[in-house]
Amino acid sequence: MKVRAFYIAILFVFVLVFTTNGPSRAQTPTTGTLRGQVTDPSGSTVSGAAVLLTAPNGSSIDSVTNKDGFYEVTGLATGTYSVKVVAPGFGLFTAANIAVKAGQVQTLK
């Protein structure tokens, strides 16, 4: 009887060890975020402005500023982007070489 209890205990430990998850590993972020606020020359915010990001591979991502002039684009692949902003009654704003890094938030006003 003692031998059988011993084997059951060994089996229990074996099952416990091999069915539990190993140590958790932190996930390394692979994308970044670009955010900012669009203002006019007097410093007033511009709502409804179109924000166009162009990725290094040529693809583009669109966003629009909210009522307070803020925009945020998340999930961006790392790289150097160009940004164009346009709103009715305003000229075109362009910015080049905006670096987006994994796990970081880049701000462009």
Side-chain angles (χ1 to χ4, degrees):
M1 236 6 170
K2 288 184 180 183
V3 172
R4 184 173 183 197
F6 175 75
Y7 285 123
I8 291 174
I10 294 293
L11 180 62
F12 177 74
V13 170
F14 179 78
V15 168
L16 185 64
V17 168
F18 288 103
T19 59
T20 58
N21 292 334
S24 296
R25 294 189 176 123
Q27 293 190 5
T28 304
T30 59
T31 61
T33 298
L34 180 65
R35 73 168 59 136
Q37 185 179 34
V38 177
T39 58
D40 67 14
S42 71
S44 297
T45 60
V46 180
S47 65
V51 181
L52 175 69
L53 281 69
T54 304
N57 66 4
S59 66
S60 62
I61 302 106
D62 298 329
S63 184
V64 177
T65 59
N66 67 13
K67 66 180 178 77
D68 298 317
F70 288 103
Y71 69 92
E72 180 175 271
V73 182
T74 60
L76 296 172
T78 59
T80 304
Y81 288 77
S82 64
V83 179
K84 294 180 182 179
V85 180
V86 66
F90 296 96
L92 177 66
F93 170 83
T94 60
N97 300 320
I98 307 301
V100 173
K101 298 179 182 175
Q104 295 185 4
V105 176
Q106 176 70 24
T107 302
L108 176 64
K109 287 185 126 184

